[in-house]
Amino acid sequence: MSQSAETRNLRRRPPWPLAVLGALGAAVFLLPLAGLAKRTPWRDLPELISSDVVLAALRISLLTSLGATTISLLLGVPLAWLLARVDFPGRTLLRAVVTLPMVLPPVVGGAALLFAFGRRGLVGEPLNDATGFLLPFSIWGVILANTFVAMPFLIITVEGALRGIDRSYEHAAATLGASRLTVFRRVTLPMIGPSLRAGAVLAWARALGEFGATVTFAGNLSGRTQTLPLSVFVALESDRDTAVAISVVLVAVSLIVLVIMRDRWWTRT
Amino acid sequence: MNVPSGLIANIIVRRGDAFTLDIDLTIEAGTTTALLGPNGSGKSTAVDALSGILPVDAGRIEMAGRLLDDPVADVYVPPESRRIGVVFQRYLLFDHLDVTDNIAFGPAATGASRRSARAMAGHWIEVLGLSDLAHRAPHRLSGGEAQRVALARALATKPDALLLDEPLAALDVVTRSELRRTLADHLVDFRGPRLLITHDPTDAFLLADQIHIIESGRITQSGTPDDIRRRPATPYVAALAGLNFLTGTNTGGTVALDLYPHTLRSADTHTNGPVIVTIHPNAIALHTDEPHGSPRNTWQTSIAVIEPLGDITRITLDAPAPLSVDITPGAVTAMALEPGSPIWASIKATEIQLDSA
């Protein structure tokens, strides 16, 4: 019955220029979804998305995007900590390099990965000589490509959080005898928890939608390296209905995750 | 000369060209020293240097014969290895841990098993009377409760020395006097050197054995509380020393003074029994005619002493109670005050601070 002052204030009518422009901004996102929904063969949808090719692509997509998220957490959080907390030469440059994949065309990223990890690559050649292991055109290659484009989102989010938290709590923990690693585990990580989860979700979402670096570095081998976005691209050429169906699956999965995450984590401050 | 179990520090920290902290401290084990000074005098920098958060630029810190910081000898012991417990003004409790786990944090971080760390926490929870709050989240504690938890958390690490950085500054008046009593009780039990950082002379006068006055990064006067009060060396100390300290007995807000035939009304109805009464010299107003306003304490007296102290003039009132009052030299002229002038004095009940004696 009685609403908070803030709620009632939010219900006031907005000024019309902001409302109109804001609504146009929303249309940029809503119209493509509407187009997709209109084109979707809803009746045949279950059959279309349960074909072997689609299920294999779904499996590879989930496996590789979750794998990339895990690696991003494992390596990205320590890297974010180094960038935020340690003053070393070249830090500014490293920070720029780390965020480069966010602005680089993914195809360029994929090509760079080939030159580093390909059969004749900087690291790939000695690795192949020593172990016979080849990253490109394997599921590991997909995970590496996903990690390359997704980890920057996690690093940026976590580094920002590390810079934003009140260092006094870390100092207090140190006066209690906690080593820097203990402080990190028991004070810093819990304090940046919400940002950590938000960063992980962003990275996961980016990995799930990854296309360019993957196709360049890992190819488009059905059942081995073909992810959902790649299968959409292939299906667009031959089988429009399947392409639309996969797109709907991608939209649905992403939307569900984003809505849930937003409610549970991002609104917590 | 060397005090093996004490804290000996010469702290020099430069903050650009504008500010240099340069102080010497020697605190013997089992005694409390107060570093008393205004905001911006360098007190927090001193805490940071002693606790190891900030290495000194020059000087030397030594605790119980162990060198902690000395740029010349290239020694810098980081905070986690100093064994100096700190109680912070803002408590800095970890909000993702409950009261017990906050107190167990230190023992657990220094290698105790989870069970024995919690057992140690249980001991301090009992000592500080926190049993009802053992599983509460820090953000649901009152200021006084949070500061007791912070004290327990610092003591649970069994530190060699204890730093109290403005431990009472964030609390309201009533809680402050309650917690001051808690501190007084537990400081006595702590065997190592104790350093109290404060801007509140009441804290320093009531809790410390030795007081160092710090102004603009330097110690301007050192001595026992009595020395400082009797012989103020700088205008800042003089202003502090003008604080009126009286003893009396409080009964629900009515305070009968011990040494003078006078009764004061205080807003503090909680601190009953024998009390120390603190009245700031700025809190007393003087009037040539009988005032009719909100202050609950008004009485007629006369001027005993007029003492010019630069920007302020200190008036000492005559019977019934020789209170110090600070007013501007302009007011002295405007009211044509001189020794013997009859005068009305008034104090708001909220300005009369009580602490259990």
Side-chain angles (χ1 to χ4, degrees):
Chain A
M1 181 63 201
S2 70
Q3 285 157 340
S4 73
E6 195 186 352
T7 309
R8 286 190 293 133
N9 196 26
L10 281 173
R11 294 229 170 130
R12 286 175 56 199
R13 192 184 293 272
W16 71 264
L18 296 183
V20 169
L21 293 173
L24 282 175
V28 170
F29 302 100
L30 289 170
L31 287 179
L33 286 183
L36 186 65
K38 182 161 182 299
R39 180 66 181 75
T40 303
W42 294 104
R43 192 166 305 153
D44 303 330
L45 199 61
E47 196 186 321
L48 286 169
I49 60 176
S50 58
S51 79
D52 287 350
V53 177
V54 175
L55 285 181
L58 177 65
R59 192 180 65 84
I60 290 169
S61 262
L62 288 178
L63 216 58
T64 53
S65 61
L66 290 173
T69 307
T70 308
I71 295 174
S72 296
L73 279 168
L74 220 56
L75 307 181
V77 173
L79 180 52
W81 187 87
L82 290 176
L83 288 171
R85 289 281 194 275
V86 184
D87 193 11
F88 54 88
R91 175 164 74 160
T92 313
L93 185 65
L94 182 62
R95 188 178 292 127
V97 170
V98 157
T99 45
L100 198 58
M102 297 177 82
V103 292
L104 213 59
V107 183
V108 176
L113 283 171
L114 265 182
F115 299 139
F117 298 101
R119 190 186 294 276
R120 309 229 62 89
L122 183 68
V123 182
E125 187 162 21
L127 186 72
N128 188 27
D129 289 348
T131 63
F133 183 69
L134 260 184
L135 270 170
F137 309 106
S138 75
I139 193 160
W140 297 105
V142 182
I143 292 177
L144 180 59
N146 280 355
T147 307
F148 179 78
V149 295
M151 186 150 64
F153 289 86
L154 182 94
I155 293 174
I156 273 208
T157 314
V158 171
E159 200 204 335
L162 286 172
R163 290 177 174 281
I165 60 170
D166 185 347
R167 300 282 313 269
S168 310
Y169 289 91
E170 298 179 331
H171 293 152
T175 67
L176 294 167
S179 68
R180 291 182 91 185
L181 187 61
T182 305
V183 172
F184 173 73
R185 277 194 312 117
R186 296 211 49 210
V187 177
T188 315
L189 276 186
M191 281 181 82
I192 63 164
S195 302
L196 195 60
R197 289 181 287 243
V201 169
L202 277 176
W204 174 79
R206 179 66 186 87
L208 187 69
E210 180 15 57
F211 180 91
T214 308
V215 78
T216 315
F217 183 59
N220 183 13
L221 309 173
S222 177
R224 271 179 68 194
T225 66
Q226 191 181 81
T227 59
L228 283 177
L230 295 183
S231 68
V232 171
F233 186 71
V234 171
L236 270 175
E237 300 288 300
S238 53
D239 181 355
R240 273 231 167 184
D241 281 355
T242 303
V244 171
I246 302 170
S247 304
V248 169
V249 170
L250 269 173
V251 168
V253 171
S254 311
L255 206 57
I256 288 167
V257 170
L258 290 178
V259 168
I260 292 175
M261 297 306 131
R262 200 163 194 123
D263 273 4
R264 284 185 58 187
W265 295 333
W266 291 0
T267 50
R268 257 196 64 189
T269 42
Chain B
M1 191 62 225
N2 201 338
V3 190
S5 53
L7 176 72
I8 306 170
N10 168 224
I11 303 168
I12 299 174
V13 177
R14 295 186 191 93
R15 285 269 161 91
D17 296 335
F19 181 82
T20 301
L21 174 73
D22 184 352
I23 59 171
D24 282 297
L25 289 172
T26 302
I27 310 172
E28 288 179 40
T31 68
T32 305
T33 293
L35 202 53
L36 171 62
N39 290 333
S41 57
K43 301 190 303 283
S44 308
T45 310
V47 174
D48 289 353
L50 286 168
S51 61
I53 291 162
L54 184 72
V56 297
D57 292 316
R60 171 187 173 86
I61 300 171
E62 194 183 311
M63 175 66 220
R66 177 176 168 231
L67 193 57
L68 296 181
D69 198 350
D70 184 347
V72 176
D74 197 21
V75 171
Y76 164 70
V77 177
E80 61 266 29
S81 310
R82 289 207 175 184
R83 306 188 44 78
I84 293 181
V86 188
V87 175
F88 301 91
Q89 174 180 354
R90 293 188 297 133
Y91 332 124
L92 299 181
L93 300 175
F94 307 125
D95 212 37
H96 58 285
L97 302 174
D98 68 10
V99 165
T100 302
D101 284 333
N102 262 282
I103 301 172
F105 184 94
T110 45
S113 72
R114 200 178 152 76
R115 238 183 76 201
S116 72
R118 287 177 145 252
M120 281 184 237
H123 166 73
W124 288 105
I125 283 173
E126 206 156 298
V127 169
L128 283 157
L130 297 165
S131 303
D132 295 344
L133 311 171
H135 299 294
R136 193 166 289 189
H139 68 263
R140 292 187 49 224
L141 298 173
S142 72
E145 290 165 349
Q147 200 52 296
R148 269 169 31 229
V149 174
L151 179 64
R153 184 177 70 169
L155 290 172
T157 62
K158 300 209 182 76
D160 295 336
L162 193 59
L163 300 185
L164 303 151
D165 183 6
E166 298 272 10
L168 305 171
L171 305 173
D172 63 78
V173 176
V174 175
T175 315
R176 196 181 302 166
S177 81
E178 260 176 44
L179 196 73
R180 194 179 290 125
R181 212 170 321 137
T182 308
L183 278 180
D185 292 347
H186 293 280
L187 286 183
V188 170
D189 293 339
F190 182 77
R191 301 258 177 99
R194 305 156 324 214
L195 178 65
L196 170 71
I197 308 288
T198 182
H199 71 277
D200 183 346
T202 315
D203 296 347
F205 289 144
L206 292 181
L207 293 172
D209 306 304
Q210 280 285 319
I211 297 178
H212 297 296
I213 307 287
I214 179 171
E215 296 172 70
S216 310
R218 316 250 156 187
I219 289 176
T220 51
Q221 187 173 10
S222 301
T224 64
D226 258 2
D227 294 339
I228 303 274
R229 221 160 24 219
R230 292 219 188 100
R231 287 179 291 277
T234 72
Y236 169 72
V237 187
L240 291 182
L243 273 189
N244 297 289
F245 283 92
L246 305 159
T247 56
T249 306
N250 184 28
T251 317
T254 305
V255 186
L257 299 180
D258 285 345
L259 299 176
Y260 310 104
H262 193 61
T263 306
L264 294 169
R265 302 278 305 172
S266 169
D268 184 349
T269 55
H270 293 87
T271 315
N272 285 305
V275 287
I276 291 168
V277 184
T278 313
I279 306 167
H280 200 279
N282 291 339
I284 306 174
L286 299 181
H287 317 262
T288 43
D289 301 308
E290 182 175 3
H292 300 279
S294 61
R296 304 297 313 279
N297 300 286
T298 52
W299 71 97
Q300 190 171 24
T301 175
S302 60
I303 304 238
V305 182
I306 297 181
E307 197 181 351
L309 295 171
D311 291 344
I312 56 161
T313 296
R314 179 158 304 152
I315 308 283
T316 308
L317 301 178
D318 216 327
L323 298 177
S324 299
V325 185
D326 286 352
I327 58 178
T328 60
V332 177
T333 318
M335 293 165 82
L337 297 180
E338 51 190 57
S341 305
I343 197 88
W344 284 83
S346 70
I347 318 173
K348 290 158 75 175
T350 48
E351 299 283 2
I352 296 191
Q353 189 189 325
L354 303 181
D355 290 280
S356 282

